[in-house]
Amino acid sequence: MSSPIEKLIHLRDHIEERSVAAPQKLGDDSWQSVAFLIGKYRLLVNVQEISEVIEVPKLTSLPGVQPWVSGIANVRGAPLPLIDLGLYLGQEASSNKSRSHVISLDRPDTRFGLIVDQVIGMRQVQDKTIKTIETPTDLENYLSGAVEIGGEVWQIFDMDQLIFSEKFRQVAAA
């Protein structure tokens, strides 16, 4: 049987293997982002634009709203409207519920959560590496550029463009 010290060492090693580094202070030309998937799209959002990433909570559906409004959830004692970002962008609804997460925004002007297919982790973005590339038409109004990380193109999702879009403001079903 293992000694208590060996168990603690094993636990420490296990945690270190699976941990993600906390956002660190970066230069003026770099920022941390949360990487996530919506269907076939790889997206990044600046960590300063979000309040937290959580598992999808129990939802209460809302009548008379757009199909992309999944419902409302009680998150730490406060109501949080949840939007299925895939449905909103004309993609399939998130089908793998075990990997889905909520990216939550809590700003003075609005509070809501976006259900995404999968959160991949953190990525560092340097402003000088941001490029303008051809964007998919269903995403073009919500992107502010793209970067290549590890041989893959990641689109930068702009929360302000989402929040202030006319479509996003029209949650009532037609």
Side-chain angles (χ1 to χ4, degrees), residues 2-132:
S2 298
S3 73
I5 299 292
E6 289 171 330
K7 288 181 181 180
L8 287 173
I9 290 171
H10 176 72
L11 179 61
R12 180 199 65 199
D13 293 344
H14 180 76
I15 291 170
E16 285 177 357
E17 288 173 6
R18 288 163 178 75
S19 66
V20 176
Q24 52 189 314
K25 178 69 174 142
L26 304 173
D28 290 338
D29 63 342
S30 294
W31 45 276
Q32 288 284 347
S33 65
V34 172
F36 63 98
L37 302 177
I38 292 293
K40 62 185 177 188
Y41 301 119
R42 292 181 196 90
L43 301 171
L44 302 172
V45 65
N46 191 322
V47 295
Q48 293 181 347
E49 293 186 44
I50 64 175
S51 59
E52 65 182 329
V53 175
I54 60 173
E55 292 183 5
V56 179
K58 182 178 177 188
L59 293 171
T60 301
S61 62
L62 298 170
V65 295
Q66 296 287 347
W68 41 265
V69 178
S70 295
I72 194 160
N74 181 347
V75 177
R76 280 177 264 306
L80 181 69
L82 296 179
I83 308 301
D84 187 313
L85 188 57
L87 277 178
Y88 178 84
L89 295 172
Q91 303 293 307
E92 297 284 326
S94 180
S95 59
N96 190 344
K97 299 297 182 197
S98 66
R99 290 190 173 188
S100 296
H101 280 79
V102 173
I103 297 176
S104 173
L105 276 75
D106 192 359
R107 299 172 23 158
D109 57 344
T110 190
R111 182 174 196 272
F112 63 92
L114 296 174
I115 299 173
V116 301
D117 291 341
Q118 184 177 356
V119 172
I120 303 299
M122 305 285 287
R123 302 289 189 269
Q124 182 174 336
V125 177
Q126 293 182 333
D127 288 336
K128 66 183 177 186
T129 63
I130 297 174
K131 302 172 186 171
T132 303

Side-chain angles (χ1 to χ4, degrees), residues 132-151:
T132 303
I133 63 170
E134 187 175 320
T135 58
T137 55
D138 47 352
L139 294 178
E140 67 186 342
N141 295 328
Y142 309 105
L143 301 177
S144 60
V147 295
E148 188 174 322
I149 301 173

